[in-house]
């Protein structure tokens, strides 16, 4: 048939993948003052006062609270920096990270 046209489609070589996101978790302890936890959450994670209070109280009551999600490197940097803010004042304040499902 003279009107038939063949179209070749070339499959892309590389697929664009979204980076896996990692959670930063705030862990409760019996020693760090509530107001200091709120200060750290505001400074390192740009939470407003209400958001920081809610995250702090959720960790206080339940043992742990998700603060935010980031790419792995950013999550680890922020968890380390926030933990270090407590360490400088001799508080056992702890932030950890874990990959999202
Ligand atoms: N439990 C602490 C207190 O009663 C406050 C606190 C809350 C500490 C959350 C850590 O992740 C935390 N002073």
């Amino acid at each position: 048939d003279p009107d038939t046209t063949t179209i070749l489609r070339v499959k892309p070589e590389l697929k664009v993948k979204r980076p896996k996101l990692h959670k930063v978790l705030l862990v409760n302890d019996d020693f760090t003052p509530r107001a200091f936890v709120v200060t750290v959450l505001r400074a390192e994670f740009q939470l407003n006062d209400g958001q920081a209070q809610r995250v702090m109280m959720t960790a206080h009551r339940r043992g742990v609270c998700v603060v935010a999600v980031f790419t792995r490197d950013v999550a680890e940097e922020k968890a380390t920096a926030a933990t270090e803010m407590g360490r400088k004042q001799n508080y056992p304040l702890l932030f950890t990270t874990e990959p999202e499902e």
Side-chain angles (χ1 to χ4, degrees):
D1 179 345
D3 291 337
T4 303
T5 305
T6 303
I7 299 169
L8 285 172
R9 285 202 177 77
V10 178
K11 209 175 160 189
E13 292 286 314
L14 297 168
K15 284 211 177 146
V16 176
K17 283 173 54 184
R18 299 174 192 284
K20 181 184 277 184
L21 294 177
H22 290 242
K23 297 182 273 198
V24 175
L25 304 170
L26 169 64
V27 181
N28 186 40
D29 68 71
D30 291 339
F31 302 101
T32 309
R34 294 181 186 193
F36 184 78
V37 179
V38 169
T39 298
V40 172
L41 289 168
R42 296 192 65 175
E44 190 59 38
F45 299 97
Q46 280 75 52
L47 301 189
N48 67 33
D49 188 61
Q51 294 168 328
Q53 295 280 352
R54 278 197 298 279
V55 168
M56 180 278 293
M57 284 309 296
T58 300
H60 178 76
R61 293 192 179 111
R62 302 170 66 98
V64 65
C65 183
V66 177
V67 179
V69 295
F70 302 101
T71 54
R72 186 182 62 183
D73 287 3
V74 173
E76 286 173 358
E77 280 170 15
K78 285 185 175 284
T80 299
T83 298
E84 185 60 21
M85 284 182 73
R87 184 79 276 286
K88 284 185 176 139
Q89 310 291 321
N90 275 329
Y91 294 133
L93 183 63
L94 178 63
F95 291 81
T96 62
T97 67
E98 68 173 45
E100 271 197 337
E101 308 72 46

